[in-house]
Amino acid sequence: MLKACAAILEGHPAPPSVFTRFRRKLDEERREPGLVEYLGSLLGSDEVALARAAASVALSGHLEKLYPAVVQRALSPDAEEARWTAALCRKHERAVRAALADLLQNRDARVRRGALMCAPADPASISLLVPLMQDRDAEVRAAACQALGRCREVSAIPALVEHFGRGTPPESVAAAEALGSMPGQSLIALAPYLEEEAKVLPALEILEAARSPLFPDKIVELLDAAQAPVRRAALRVLVNHDEVDAEEHLVRKLQDLDESVRIEAVELLVRNGSTRAVPALAALLVVSDELRYHAIRALGRLRAETAAAQLERLFPRATGHERLEIVAALIRIGAPGLLPFLKSRLKDAEPEVRRVAADGLARVATASELPLLVQLAEDVDWSIRNHAGWGLGRLSLPQGRDALLALVRDTEPVVARTARAALAKLPAA
């Protein structure tokens, strides 16, 4: 009955007058235990379904005595339960806002923390949230930082920076998260922390999260910092600076002494679609460390046609994952000579190479490859049969009908579904 009531109230909110009478009736109730006590016991229990129903009824009915127990569920170690509670409070934002001042002054630190987790993220709440940054409980102060971050209130930045720099670990982490949600141009107060060895990395991570274009000269300087994590973070921040030629610095960092920095530079070059970096990336194909795999992948994602021949020549001496990535890269590039290369790979001893090659063939095959697709539709590998069926559907030629009809009866359900979808594309017989 409780769950039914909760569902009805959530789906069809009643007018305030109904709950005024409801609360008056509860005040007159003399039986023990009463409804409020019953709901309160559920809110503190591990009966998730009933606790959720109780929370919903409490907020729908404006049962303010139960609000402390409701908001504490936002602190549940179960992340899903915590998210659900916060979402419910957002749905009942008006009720939570009306009680927020009392909840934030509650003697129980857990109630204050829970209220901060559920506080409405709007300017009207700011004046209530800021004082909690000086709360006697460190976790409450951290929750206040998080709440202010959700509000994206620029006026809170000086206090957040202070907690970032001088607060306890929970406060510092929460303040950093909050600062990362602020407008990037507003974080000028972080400048001193780019000079502190202990704080420079988290400060860079804040600037990255905020996509801040501040401090371009300092960011370039940090590309040569002693610690590799700092150099990587500086690279990620640099790409948000339009006035700096980030591509030039990324290419330079392909020669960094630390492999992780080189890999970071490769990934950022790809993310930015940097065609100027293709020669530098192609030069990395001669190395034999993990970087070569990333270079192969990058050239494919950049569709670097000029590197296609070099990738094909590398294939015979490449390692397992590199071989797969070379095939995938050449498919992406689609340079002349791709079809003969893919046909050769279909004879490869490695099943994964054959599967990737079959996928590529299905995507680029012309009508002249129809016989090969029909042949692949009878392969012992169900994945290859599936790719062949998809390719036959893509070509939509009547000559592929018999092969697709055979695939419809395939013992592998995925292959049969692909074949049915492919048959639907063919012109009516």
Side-chain angles (χ1 to χ4, degrees), residues 108-407:
D108 188 335
R110 286 181 55 82
V111 173
R112 300 198 298 278
R113 282 177 59 205
L116 288 165
M117 299 298 290
C118 299
D122 58 29
S125 304
I126 300 299
S127 60
L128 297 175
L129 302 178
V130 171
L132 274 294
M133 297 182 76
Q134 308 302 325
D135 194 272
R136 58 185 177 276
D137 187 281
E139 291 187 328
V140 172
R141 297 196 297 271
C145 292
Q146 292 173 326
L148 287 166
R150 292 195 300 274
C151 294
R152 293 174 58 84
E153 176 56 40
V154 175
S155 64
I157 288 178
L160 287 169
V161 170
E162 177 66 21
H163 282 69
F164 165 69
R166 308 288 177 247
T168 62
E171 291 171 75
S172 183
V173 170
E177 180 183 336
L179 289 166
S181 67
M182 297 292 176
Q185 291 279 14
S186 63
L187 298 176
I188 195 71
L190 283 177
Y193 298 102
L194 294 176
E195 306 292 342
E196 289 189 24
E197 184 176 348
K199 286 292 184 180
V200 62
L201 182 56
L204 286 171
E205 290 170 347
I206 292 170
L207 295 173
E208 178 192 356
R211 301 184 63 82
S212 175
L214 298 176
F215 320 118
D217 294 339
K218 184 61 182 178
I219 302 304
V220 170
E221 178 186 328
L222 290 172
L223 293 178
D224 296 314
Q227 304 86 3
V230 172
R231 300 201 297 277
R232 293 200 305 271
L235 282 173
R236 295 193 297 271
V237 173
L238 189 69
V239 297
N240 295 320
H241 289 70
D242 294 335
E243 71 274 24
V244 177
D245 186 357
E247 195 170 22
E248 177 185 346
H249 292 287
L250 291 171
V251 171
R252 178 172 68 87
K253 281 294 155 182
L254 293 175
Q255 306 302 321
D256 194 274
L257 296 176
D258 187 276
E259 184 177 84
S260 68
V261 177
R262 300 196 297 271
I263 291 173
E264 189 78 56
V266 169
E267 293 300 312
L268 290 170
L269 284 166
V270 172
R271 193 180 82 184
N272 290 348
S274 174
T275 54
R276 281 167 50 194
V278 167
L281 291 169
L284 297 176
L285 298 179
V286 300
V287 302
S288 58
D289 58 14
E290 186 182 351
L291 184 61
R292 185 164 71 180
Y293 167 84
H294 290 273
I296 294 166
R297 184 166 173 263
L299 290 167
R301 290 164 66 189
L302 290 172
R303 292 178 169 79
E305 188 172 341
T306 55
Q310 193 173 348
L311 287 168
E312 191 171 339
R313 289 194 300 271
L314 173 62
F315 184 83
R317 66 177 190 276
T319 60
H321 289 301
E322 289 176 347
R323 288 161 63 85
L324 291 174
E325 203 58 57
I326 288 173
V327 178
L330 288 171
I331 292 170
R332 275 178 171 268
I333 293 169
L338 174 60
L339 273 172
F341 176 80
L342 293 177
K343 290 175 182 178
S344 297
R345 301 290 72 77
L346 289 171
K347 302 172 185 176
D348 203 284
E350 296 179 46
E352 285 301 323
V353 171
R354 293 186 70 237
R355 290 168 187 163
V356 176
D359 179 40
L361 182 70
R363 295 175 184 280
V364 302
T366 62
S368 59
E369 277 72 51
L370 180 68
L372 177 55
L373 287 174
V374 170
Q375 178 185 337
L376 293 176
E378 300 175 352
D379 198 273
V380 295
D381 188 321
W382 71 266
S383 179
I384 291 178
R385 297 198 303 275
N386 192 55
H387 290 313
W390 188 89
L392 289 168
R394 173 181 157 271
L395 292 177
S396 298
L397 297 173
Q399 298 91 323
R401 186 182 303 276
D402 290 343
L404 288 172
L405 286 171
L407 288 176

